[in-house]
Amino acid sequence: MDIRVQKIFEGLFALEDLREIYRQALPSGLDQEEETRFTEKIASIREILGDLEAGTGHPKVTRIAETIELRTREENLINIQPIQAAGRLTPEARKAVISYGDGYSTCDACRKPFRLDKICKPPIATFHEDLAAFVGMDQARVVPGARRGFQAVTSTIVNRGDSVLVSGLSHYTEYLAVENAGGIIREIPVNEQNVLKADAAADKIEQIKQETGAYPVLAMIDHYDYLLANEHDFAGIAKVAHQYDIPILYNGAYTVGVMPVDGKKLGADFVVGSGHKSMASPAPSGVLATTDEWADKVFRTTQMVGDLTKRKFGIKEVEMLGCTLMGVTLVAMMASFPTVKERTLHWDEELKKSNYFIDHLLKIEGSKVVSEYPRKHTLTKVDTTGSFDKVAQTHKRRGFFLSDELSKRSIGGEFAGATKTWKLNTFGLSWKKIHYLTDAFTEIAEKYEINILNEEKKR
Amino acid sequence: MDIRVQKIFEGLFALEDLREIYRQALPSGLDQEEETRFTEKIASIREILGDLEAGTGHPKVTRIAETIELRTREENLINIQPIQAAGRLTPEARKAVISYGDGYSTCDACRKPFRLDKICKPPIATFHEDLAAFVGMDQARVVPGARRGFQAVTSTIVNRGDSVLVSGLSHYTEYLAVENAGGIIREIPVNEQNVLKADAAADKIEQIKQETGAYPVLAMIDHYDYLLANEHDFAGIAKVAHQYDIPILYNGAYTVGVMPVDGKKLGADFVVGSGHKSMASPAPSGVLATTDEWADKVFRTTQMVGDLTKRKFGIKEVEMLGCTLMGVTLVAMMASFPTVKERTLHWDEELKKSNYFIDHLLKIEGSKVVSEYPRKHTLTKVDTTGSFDKVAQTHKRRGFFLSDELSKRSIGGEFAGATKTWKLNTFGLSWKKIHYLTDAFTEIAEKYEINILNEEKKR
């Protein structure tokens, strides 16, 4: 690790120790003992700062609470991990995390009617409005992860034995949300290009009706899937679903927060997004948005009355279980939001970088892309069976030779040991990082005498 | 705000800006432009440090992402907010939050079988074992808040129309979890002392059987309730429930993390705790623990098979929806855990401080305690209708006079404007803060010529 990165962490931690002195002190000020500790701590921070500037010194803090190693992946590596790329925090979110880490930190100014999305300071209420508009829907709530958004919808709509349409490339959390509600998953086949089309959805709906006597009660469709990040015809499928009066959920775990999403225009009844996957937010966080029509159902308020006390709980929402993200997860989402909004406007540039890298990977002879190509997403499944895996066959480290080579070049997040099919994500990498990454793969190929094609190679 | 607290935040934020330079830089090191920015930032941190030491300067950063004010309640005030006290982070948790803020930060070393509670680095697997042992149960999972623990249990056990036993003082999230599963809440009455007793539970069970023809399928009982924080006879009720073969959930939102809890000894089938309420953790976080017997049910793995693809999802757990807290919430829980374990051993001292404060509040003539007394918890509902509310009647600021007076003394977290019945929590305040707090209330009473009783006053 670069000693400077180490010293940045030591500086941050030392300032937290200083902060703790104030947390323990009386409001009237530090006593003499506290003042002494304060002065000592300042001196140690100056020392850290000296090391930081000079790039000298040795690591003094390597673990948190004795057992947890510092996590410096984003500082020390170019991280191409498939699901981490768009969830890394913005600097503003990291500041929010520092300021709002404490448990119920959003609840200082919670007033009647006592619900998270009504709080004005910090501006949570406004954020909810902005969030709904951002995904082109009428109302939004924050949820602890996209999966909890799926759950709220299946729990509202799906009864035991009901069929729910998903894609053959759907994420497991959709299966679990349906299972949890007692429903039955019915998969729409993708076509030969691994893309989901509207006609296949129509056929499946008819087939389900024939087999079970009933239409599916819900469709949950990923605009881009988790496996290949291919683009699927959500709008077309929505049109078909609506012809059968089937409400449709837009799974935007891989879109909301990275590219523009207009839920209503796409025909969505529900839009679900993931904070920690695509909105530069800490886990677990996410968004569930819907239309005014469906809001009354999925955001229905409690009707329960205590049989004895006759207590009622006002406007608490059943599927949300009241409040959802009462602290740091929400405030960090809010802090990242301006940057996240802005970055969706530059999705075309992200695609250029994605394709630049993939184009060059394909020049390494024997390499293929499993995802659709040219890429319409920054997440890509590649197949290096014909290139790097050939090296792995005879290398004493087997598939780990590639991880070793990447690691030497400070690239991380590949699936360690995988040299056949594997996924990577270039989201958020600057052009200079893209060039570095591209060169690294080319260099590794050259080192192991894999031929580099000069011609533009087609899949 | 003390300028030093302001400067601590500015120092932390400036170090995050410095960290961002490294996040954007190539692994090969800073380029010239980055090095220049680095040097400038170091200079600005030195300046902040100078101000910090001298206690000089002016606030330069007052908002995050332009709209979010710095939250300095814990640094600048003695915080007596009823639900925030035991959720404030330890310094170690704050360091974890800094290090592990990014989205899927726990997932760097996720290997087969790909489940959060199996990850060894950071030591999440061990933490799960420790957590189960900590609450005296066999198995534990982390969940996004206690309410999600309730939901997992009701969703597993409660079918439409089933009765679920709760207390007349139960928290609304239990009502919602039952409503969500389609069950019906049946409240056990508390006695005249607002305490739940086993005989009342037995009577209610018989009454439900008589009225509905069926026994309740689940009991959810708060060891200490949220309203008065009175101690209820959980162990006695568990015995009764088990006589009828009714499984019982121990709601430890106000106990797990502040006092010792031995679930099995208490007769619990499920133990639920709240990270952000009582385990010095960020929101949303919590724990659901159970016995080996019930683990197969509530932690059942998915049985869903894709009708077309025949895909299965291995050991993903239906009620958890796969993984739960994939980032900062979990790592901060882990970082606070050693401190949290230790502090439960000093609960008796927390009670001494709680009673010390309440004893002195009761000396302010006309003041009463609504909760049981002497206190067995640090959360207390008081009634100052006969003391501070009398002042409010004629004060131009009405009930807000008390908030104003507390605010002047840097005490916060009371329910603003409330002078009749209101709640406060002394958890985690040092003796010197307790004395400060006690003196402040006495001073305010004296200022408004409320008589201070010299004799020990009984409720």
PDB file of all heavy atoms in Angstrom, chain A residues 319-340:
ATOM      1  N   GLU A 319     -45.933  -2.056   4.122  1.00  0.00           N
ATOM      2  CA  GLU A 319     -44.835  -2.716   3.411  1.00  0.00           C
ATOM      3  C   GLU A 319     -43.470  -2.125   3.760  1.00  0.00           C
ATOM      4  O   GLU A 319     -42.453  -2.797   3.644  1.00  0.00           O
ATOM      5  CB  GLU A 319     -45.053  -2.657   1.891  1.00  0.00           C
ATOM      6  CG  GLU A 319     -46.247  -3.459   1.394  1.00  0.00           C
ATOM      7  CD  GLU A 319     -46.134  -4.954   1.670  1.00  0.00           C
ATOM      8  OE1 GLU A 319     -45.033  -5.430   1.976  1.00  0.00           O
ATOM      9  OE2 GLU A 319     -47.169  -5.640   1.595  1.00  0.00           O
ATOM     10  N   MET A 320     -43.470  -0.859   4.151  1.00  0.00           N
ATOM     11  CA  MET A 320     -42.215  -0.233   4.567  1.00  0.00           C
ATOM     12  C   MET A 320     -41.889  -0.606   6.012  1.00  0.00           C
ATOM     13  O   MET A 320     -40.789  -0.354   6.480  1.00  0.00           O
ATOM     14  CB  MET A 320     -42.289   1.297   4.440  1.00  0.00           C
ATOM     15  CG  MET A 320     -42.561   1.805   3.034  1.00  0.00           C
ATOM     16  SD  MET A 320     -41.247   1.376   1.861  1.00  0.00           S
ATOM     17  CE  MET A 320     -42.054   0.114   0.867  1.00  0.00           C
ATOM     18  N   LEU A 321     -42.862  -1.172   6.732  1.00  0.00           N
ATOM     19  CA  LEU A 321     -42.745  -1.420   8.175  1.00  0.00           C
ATOM     20  C   LEU A 321     -42.430  -0.116   8.912  1.00  0.00           C
ATOM     21  O   LEU A 321     -41.600  -0.101   9.833  1.00  0.00           O
ATOM     22  CB  LEU A 321     -41.687  -2.484   8.458  1.00  0.00           C
ATOM     23  CG  LEU A 321     -42.023  -3.885   7.919  1.00  0.00           C
ATOM     24  CD1 LEU A 321     -40.820  -4.803   8.061  1.00  0.00           C
ATOM     25  CD2 LEU A 321     -43.207  -4.483   8.667  1.00  0.00           C
ATOM     26  N   GLY A 322     -43.103   0.955   8.505  1.00  0.00           N
ATOM     27  CA  GLY A 322     -42.835   2.251   9.121  1.00  0.00           C
ATOM     28  C   GLY A 322     -41.676   2.915   8.406  1.00  0.00           C
ATOM     29  O   GLY A 322     -41.675   3.041   7.181  1.00  0.00           O
ATOM     30  N   CYS A 323     -40.672   3.308   9.146  1.00  0.00           N
ATOM     31  CA  CYS A 323     -39.526   3.981   8.546  1.00  0.00           C
ATOM     32  C   CYS A 323     -38.507   2.948   8.071  1.00  0.00           C
ATOM     33  O   CYS A 323     -38.463   1.837   8.572  1.00  0.00           O
ATOM     34  CB  CYS A 323     -38.905   4.952   9.537  1.00  0.00           C
ATOM     35  SG  CYS A 323     -40.097   6.160  10.158  1.00  0.00           S
ATOM     36  N   THR A 324     -37.673   3.331   7.113  1.00  0.00           N
ATOM     37  CA  THR A 324     -36.789   2.344   6.489  1.00  0.00           C
ATOM     38  C   THR A 324     -35.299   2.627   6.731  1.00  0.00           C
ATOM     39  O   THR A 324     -34.653   1.894   7.473  1.00  0.00           O
ATOM     40  CB  THR A 324     -37.056   2.291   4.971  1.00  0.00           C
ATOM     41  OG1 THR A 324     -36.954   3.612   4.446  1.00  0.00           O
ATOM     42  CG2 THR A 324     -38.428   1.716   4.675  1.00  0.00           C
ATOM     43  N   LEU A 325     -34.807   3.697   6.163  1.00  0.00           N
ATOM     44  CA  LEU A 325     -33.378   4.026   6.302  1.00  0.00           C
ATOM     45  C   LEU A 325     -33.236   5.243   7.206  1.00  0.00           C
ATOM     46  O   LEU A 325     -33.197   6.365   6.739  1.00  0.00           O
ATOM     47  CB  LEU A 325     -32.766   4.309   4.930  1.00  0.00           C
ATOM     48  CG  LEU A 325     -33.026   3.310   3.793  1.00  0.00           C
ATOM     49  CD1 LEU A 325     -32.300   3.754   2.515  1.00  0.00           C
ATOM     50  CD2 LEU A 325     -32.621   1.903   4.169  1.00  0.00           C
ATOM     51  N   MET A 326     -33.130   5.007   8.509  1.00  0.00           N
ATOM     52  CA  MET A 326     -33.231   6.122   9.444  1.00  0.00           C
ATOM     53  C   MET A 326     -31.898   6.799   9.741  1.00  0.00           C
ATOM     54  O   MET A 326     -31.768   7.528  10.717  1.00  0.00           O
ATOM     55  CB  MET A 326     -33.809   5.665  10.787  1.00  0.00           C
ATOM     56  CG  MET A 326     -34.957   4.725  10.711  1.00  0.00           C
ATOM     57  SD  MET A 326     -34.339   3.026  10.416  1.00  0.00           S
ATOM     58  CE  MET A 326     -35.779   2.058  10.868  1.00  0.00           C
ATOM     59  N   GLY A 327     -30.904   6.529   8.924  1.00  0.00           N
ATOM     60  CA  GLY A 327     -29.625   7.153   9.262  1.00  0.00           C
ATOM     61  C   GLY A 327     -28.712   7.291   8.077  1.00  0.00           C
ATOM     62  O   GLY A 327     -29.079   7.814   7.025  1.00  0.00           O
ATOM     63  N   VAL A 328     -27.503   6.795   8.261  1.00  0.00           N
ATOM     64  CA  VAL A 328     -26.402   7.074   7.352  1.00  0.00           C
ATOM     65  C   VAL A 328     -26.681   6.635   5.914  1.00  0.00           C
ATOM     66  O   VAL A 328     -26.259   7.316   4.971  1.00  0.00           O
ATOM     67  CB  VAL A 328     -25.109   6.415   7.882  1.00  0.00           C
ATOM     68  CG1 VAL A 328     -25.186   4.893   7.813  1.00  0.00           C
ATOM     69  CG2 VAL A 328     -23.896   6.917   7.150  1.00  0.00           C
ATOM     70  N   THR A 329     -27.376   5.520   5.730  1.00  0.00           N
ATOM     71  CA  THR A 329     -27.625   5.038   4.379  1.00  0.00           C
ATOM     72  C   THR A 329     -28.396   6.078   3.568  1.00  0.00           C
ATOM     73  O   THR A 329     -28.029   6.395   2.440  1.00  0.00           O
ATOM     74  CB  THR A 329     -28.398   3.699   4.425  1.00  0.00           C
ATOM     75  OG1 THR A 329     -29.383   3.777   5.461  1.00  0.00           O
ATOM     76  CG2 THR A 329     -27.473   2.537   4.742  1.00  0.00           C
ATOM     77  N   LEU A 330     -29.437   6.619   4.159  1.00  0.00           N
ATOM     78  CA  LEU A 330     -30.250   7.623   3.469  1.00  0.00           C
ATOM     79  C   LEU A 330     -29.488   8.927   3.247  1.00  0.00           C
ATOM     80  O   LEU A 330     -29.500   9.493   2.146  1.00  0.00           O
ATOM     81  CB  LEU A 330     -31.533   7.896   4.265  1.00  0.00           C
ATOM     82  CG  LEU A 330     -32.400   9.059   3.786  1.00  0.00           C
ATOM     83  CD1 LEU A 330     -32.771   8.925   2.315  1.00  0.00           C
ATOM     84  CD2 LEU A 330     -33.653   9.164   4.642  1.00  0.00           C
ATOM     85  N   VAL A 331     -28.816   9.418   4.284  1.00  0.00           N
ATOM     86  CA  VAL A 331     -28.145  10.718   4.138  1.00  0.00           C
ATOM     87  C   VAL A 331     -27.019  10.627   3.106  1.00  0.00           C
ATOM     88  O   VAL A 331     -26.802  11.561   2.334  1.00  0.00           O
ATOM     89  CB  VAL A 331     -27.655  11.264   5.500  1.00  0.00           C
ATOM     90  CG1 VAL A 331     -27.090  12.669   5.333  1.00  0.00           C
ATOM     91  CG2 VAL A 331     -28.802  11.295   6.492  1.00  0.00           C
ATOM     92  N   ALA A 332     -26.354   9.497   3.053  1.00  0.00           N
ATOM     93  CA  ALA A 332     -25.315   9.331   2.030  1.00  0.00           C
ATOM     94  C   ALA A 332     -25.920   9.262   0.627  1.00  0.00           C
ATOM     95  O   ALA A 332     -25.363   9.811  -0.327  1.00  0.00           O
ATOM     96  CB  ALA A 332     -24.476   8.090   2.320  1.00  0.00           C
ATOM     97  N   MET A 333     -27.060   8.600   0.505  1.00  0.00           N
ATOM     98  CA  MET A 333     -27.777   8.604  -0.792  1.00  0.00           C
ATOM     99  C   MET A 333     -28.064  10.034  -1.218  1.00  0.00           C
ATOM    100  O   MET A 333     -27.880  10.413  -2.383  1.00  0.00           O
ATOM    101  CB  MET A 333     -29.150   7.916  -0.658  1.00  0.00           C
ATOM    102  CG  MET A 333     -29.192   6.436  -0.845  1.00  0.00           C
ATOM    103  SD  MET A 333     -30.936   5.832  -0.749  1.00  0.00           S
ATOM    104  CE  MET A 333     -31.303   5.610  -2.502  1.00  0.00           C
ATOM    105  N   MET A 334     -28.555  10.821  -0.261  1.00  0.00           N
ATOM    106  CA  MET A 334     -28.883  12.219  -0.540  1.00  0.00           C
ATOM    107  C   MET A 334     -27.643  13.008  -0.939  1.00  0.00           C
ATOM    108  O   MET A 334     -27.681  13.840  -1.848  1.00  0.00           O
ATOM    109  CB  MET A 334     -29.543  12.860   0.681  1.00  0.00           C
ATOM    110  CG  MET A 334     -30.938  12.319   0.967  1.00  0.00           C
ATOM    111  SD  MET A 334     -31.561  12.730   2.629  1.00  0.00           S
ATOM    112  CE  MET A 334     -31.434  14.512   2.629  1.00  0.00           C
ATOM    113  N   ALA A 335     -26.542  12.750  -0.241  1.00  0.00           N
ATOM    114  CA  ALA A 335     -25.306  13.494  -0.512  1.00  0.00           C
ATOM    115  C   ALA A 335     -24.746  13.153  -1.882  1.00  0.00           C
ATOM    116  O   ALA A 335     -24.180  13.998  -2.573  1.00  0.00           O
ATOM    117  CB  ALA A 335     -24.274  13.220   0.581  1.00  0.00           C
ATOM    118  N   SER A 336     -24.901  11.901  -2.295  1.00  0.00           N
ATOM    119  CA  SER A 336     -24.422  11.501  -3.630  1.00  0.00           C
ATOM    120  C   SER A 336     -25.366  11.939  -4.744  1.00  0.00           C
ATOM    121  O   SER A 336     -24.971  11.976  -5.915  1.00  0.00           O
ATOM    122  CB  SER A 336     -24.272   9.968  -3.706  1.00  0.00           C
ATOM    123  OG  SER A 336     -23.031   9.551  -3.191  1.00  0.00           O
ATOM    124  N   PHE A 337     -26.585  12.239  -4.395  1.00  0.00           N
ATOM    125  CA  PHE A 337     -27.633  12.400  -5.403  1.00  0.00           C
ATOM    126  C   PHE A 337     -27.322  13.436  -6.499  1.00  0.00           C
ATOM    127  O   PHE A 337     -27.498  13.148  -7.693  1.00  0.00           O
ATOM    128  CB  PHE A 337     -28.971  12.679  -4.727  1.00  0.00           C
ATOM    129  CG  PHE A 337     -30.155  12.599  -5.646  1.00  0.00           C
ATOM    130  CD1 PHE A 337     -30.425  11.442  -6.370  1.00  0.00           C
ATOM    131  CD2 PHE A 337     -31.012  13.674  -5.799  1.00  0.00           C
ATOM    132  CE1 PHE A 337     -31.518  11.366  -7.222  1.00  0.00           C
ATOM    133  CE2 PHE A 337     -32.107  13.609  -6.649  1.00  0.00           C
ATOM    134  CZ  PHE A 337     -32.361  12.452  -7.363  1.00  0.00           C
ATOM    135  N   PRO A 338     -26.832  14.640  -6.150  1.00  0.00           N
ATOM    136  CA  PRO A 338     -26.526  15.594  -7.229  1.00  0.00           C
ATOM    137  C   PRO A 338     -25.512  15.027  -8.224  1.00  0.00           C
ATOM    138  O   PRO A 338     -25.684  15.163  -9.443  1.00  0.00           O
ATOM    139  CB  PRO A 338     -25.950  16.803  -6.471  1.00  0.00           C
ATOM    140  CG  PRO A 338     -26.510  16.695  -5.092  1.00  0.00           C
ATOM    141  CD  PRO A 338     -26.632  15.226  -4.815  1.00  0.00           C
ATOM    142  N   THR A 339     -24.486  14.372  -7.727  1.00  0.00           N
ATOM    143  CA  THR A 339     -23.479  13.758  -8.606  1.00  0.00           C
ATOM    144  C   THR A 339     -24.088  12.626  -9.422  1.00  0.00           C
ATOM    145  O   THR A 339     -23.798  12.462 -10.609  1.00  0.00           O
ATOM    146  CB  THR A 339     -22.315  13.204  -7.754  1.00  0.00           C
ATOM    147  OG1 THR A 339     -21.816  14.261  -6.938  1.00  0.00           O
ATOM    148  CG2 THR A 339     -21.194  12.671  -8.624  1.00  0.00           C
ATOM    149  N   VAL A 340     -24.922  11.835  -8.775  1.00  0.00           N
ATOM    150  CA  VAL A 340     -25.558  10.702  -9.453  1.00  0.00           C
ATOM    151  C   VAL A 340     -26.466  11.193 -10.578  1.00  0.00           C
ATOM    152  O   VAL A 340     -26.448  10.663 -11.693  1.00  0.00           O
ATOM    153  CB  VAL A 340     -26.326   9.840  -8.417  1.00  0.00           C
ATOM    154  CG1 VAL A 340     -27.330   8.913  -9.090  1.00  0.00           C
ATOM    155  CG2 VAL A 340     -25.345   9.025  -7.571  1.00  0.00           C
TER     156      VAL A 340
END
